[in-house]
DNA sequence: ACAAAAGTGTTGAGAGTACACCCATGC
DNA sequence: GCATGGGTGTACTCTCAACACTTTTGT
């Protein structure tokens, strides 16, 4: 009797789709895969797949992410669930979207196979996307900017040790605007979330101070990084 | 062939659960229903139900909400999706949680039936909850406070015309602290989101100015209402 | 007259913004 | 010596926070 209620209703399929951001060549990029099957054959899509019965939503997202990028331990958070009746022409499919931030140095993309091609796209030059993935992408970008403004997630896109210059450059890429160098540095340092490391060597200019995020701060902490 | 992929994986059940907040007797309340069936028989739970194949997630949440409270047109937004493997002992059930804000004057609770009882609980005196509903509730409360701080959603809990006093009282209830009257009024008025209405009559004290939210502002707009 | 809530201004502290030049290194 | 990013301070403005008394009405 208890289980009856679960079988009484037709069940939708559930997928997870993960928008994976990285920073490459001074540009903000997302990973897309080219579909090799109908529907939307040869269109680009956000990587994802079906949730298995023995894994949680987050586990599913992590598994798919690792399958696609060979990377573990990236920053991952749930974005939103999309469940319009007709979002997938094959039938009723609800997707739980995630967004991830990966340091591009640590990513080893699986080589493209017959089954699919994967490629990094600049967010300013996205191709047409399958399903409702354009909506998901817009949602992810909004969330990314918000997270950059109010939390420490940005540091997950940088190596452990970084310069204030590279941090500022990253913010300028994500917000597509310049910040005043003195004000930016003053603001970041006043947050008391960084600790000094060594001085970088062998650079063709004045050697910069390296910083790292204080261990006790952690990724994702809310701190109002940038007040525009 | 296209449909094969949907049947290849066992499909989970999908529900929507909606945390419905209201303001009653100077207290922040949520609507809970008492379960009449196992599992968790006689425990209190967040109202919800299964998503039908022919309705979107939001439509499902609206339908359930109307069934429970007889109210349409309340503020409703998606909260988060919870999908731990063992969150429901009956089997794999993923729930998409919503949160809603309803003006208590406009709510007509369905009378309790054999099937279930519904009751408003003060958020400071919640009973033990079924499933993972405690987690969902905590999540909803966090989101509520955030939304009050940064957006205009609060106005959906008030009648169309309200006094600054009642607005401040509501904020004090939600944040469980006092605000300075002069600073609060100054801040709200400086946002330029209100318009003046009549003067309230027949009150046993100085008659207050009534205000309403400017039509062009709308519920949910981001404005940094309160900077604590 | 008194109870009850409405209404009203000023000041000091801290944060945000605008702005320009010198520094240390590799080549 | 020159190209390249790194590093630094001040003055103005604006917002936030603290704080107490008078007004208008109904009873």
């Amino acid at each position: 009797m208890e289980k009856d209620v679960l079988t009484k209703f037709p069940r939708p399929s559930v997928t997870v789709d993960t928008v994976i951001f990285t920073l490459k060549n001074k540009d903000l990029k997302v990973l897309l895969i080219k579909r090799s099957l109908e529907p939307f054959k040869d269109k680009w899509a956000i990587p994802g797949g079906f949730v298995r019965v023995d894994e949680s939503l987050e586990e599913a997202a992590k598994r798919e992410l690792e399958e696609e990028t060979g990377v573990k331990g990236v920053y991952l958070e749930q974005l939103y669930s999309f469940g319009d009746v007709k979002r997938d022409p094959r039938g009723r499919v609800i997707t739980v979207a995630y967004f991830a931030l990966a340091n591009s140095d640590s990513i080893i993309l699986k080589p493209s196979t017959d089954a699919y091609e994967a490629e990094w796209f600049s967010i300013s030059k996205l191709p047409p996307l399958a399903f409702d993935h354009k909506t998901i992408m817009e949602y992810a970008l909004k969330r990314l900017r918000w997270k950059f403004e109010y939390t420490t997630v940005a540091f997950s896109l940088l190596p452990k040790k970084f310069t204030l210059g590279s941090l500022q450059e990253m913010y300028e890429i994500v917000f597509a605007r310049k910040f005043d160098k003195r004000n930016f540095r003053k603001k970041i340092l006043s947050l008391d979330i960084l600790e000094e490391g060594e001085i970088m060597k062998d650079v063709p200019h004045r050697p910069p101070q390296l910083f790292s995020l204080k261990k006790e701060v952690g990724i994702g902490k809310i701190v109002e990084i940038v007040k525009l």
Side-chain angles (χ1 to χ4, degrees), chain A:
Chain A
M1 166 63 182
E2 284 88 57
K3 283 193 176 262
D4 281 3
V5 68
L6 297 193
T7 48
K8 203 170 112 190
F9 295 92
R11 294 190 299 275
S13 298
V14 177
T15 58
V16 290
D17 288 323
T18 305
V19 181
I20 306 161
F21 289 101
T22 199
L23 227 42
K24 247 178 132 82
N25 306 330
K26 315 212 169 193
D27 207 357
L28 182 63
K29 311 239 177 194
V30 289
L31 187 66
L32 296 176
I33 60 163
K34 194 181 212 170
R35 293 182 55 82
S36 56
L37 297 173
E38 291 295 347
F40 297 107
K41 187 162 179 318
D42 296 326
K43 280 240 178 180
W44 294 90
I46 297 165
F50 290 90
V51 177
R52 301 182 182 164
V53 277
D54 60 346
E55 66 185 0
S56 69
L57 297 170
E58 184 161 330
E59 282 161 3
K62 277 191 182 138
R63 177 179 51 73
E64 297 280 353
L65 187 59
E66 199 189 334
E67 285 173 14
E68 305 287 351
T69 66
V71 175
K72 291 202 244 188
V74 305
Y75 178 81
L76 181 70
E77 78 171 44
Q78 191 185 300
L79 191 59
Y80 198 79
S81 297
F82 297 83
D84 278 1
V85 175
K86 311 181 109 172
R87 58 176 295 282
D88 190 322
R90 292 169 296 182
R92 188 69 201 277
V93 181
I94 290 166
T95 194
V96 183
Y98 277 77
F99 99 111
L101 299 177
N103 178 331
S104 67
D105 299 337
S106 59
I107 287 192
I108 314 130
L109 270 194
K110 285 257 178 95
S112 297
T113 64
D114 282 358
Y116 62 77
E117 270 171 79
E119 205 175 308
W120 292 104
F121 283 84
S122 161
I123 53 141
S124 56
K125 287 176 213 152
L126 290 176
L129 298 177
F131 306 105
D132 53 356
H133 287 186
K134 182 158 184 274
T135 310
I136 298 177
M137 189 63 74
E138 285 163 1
Y139 208 95
L141 252 177
K142 260 190 224 162
R143 179 81 135 253
L144 175 77
R145 298 218 168 94
W146 189 88
K147 283 274 165 176
F148 262 63
E149 208 168 332
Y150 291 104
T151 79
T152 56
V153 289
F155 297 94
S156 62
L157 285 178
L158 291 175
K160 269 214 188 59
K161 314 232 171 185
F162 51 86
T163 64
L164 291 180
S166 59
L167 182 66
Q168 180 173 352
E169 184 186 65
M170 181 171 63
Y171 270 89
E172 290 176 342
I173 291 168
V174 169
F175 289 102
R177 55 167 289 220
K178 296 287 179 192
F179 294 92
D180 178 84
K181 204 204 305 184
R182 279 170 294 190
N183 292 341
F184 186 87
R185 299 166 76 90
K186 204 188 314 168
K187 181 64 196 286
I188 297 292
L189 292 174
S190 76
L191 294 171
D192 192 36
I193 56 173
L194 299 186
E195 54 193 6
E196 299 191 357
E198 320 87 81
I199 306 289
M200 191 185 273
K201 299 268 186 205
D202 294 317
V203 283
H205 51 74
R206 179 167 171 179
Q209 174 71 247
L210 286 168
F211 291 89
S212 56
L213 189 63
K214 283 185 178 174
K215 277 189 305 295
E216 67 270 26
V217 175
I219 298 292
K221 183 180 172 174
I222 292 189
V223 290
E224 280 208 8
I225 297 267
V226 188
K227 179 74 175 187
L228 316 163

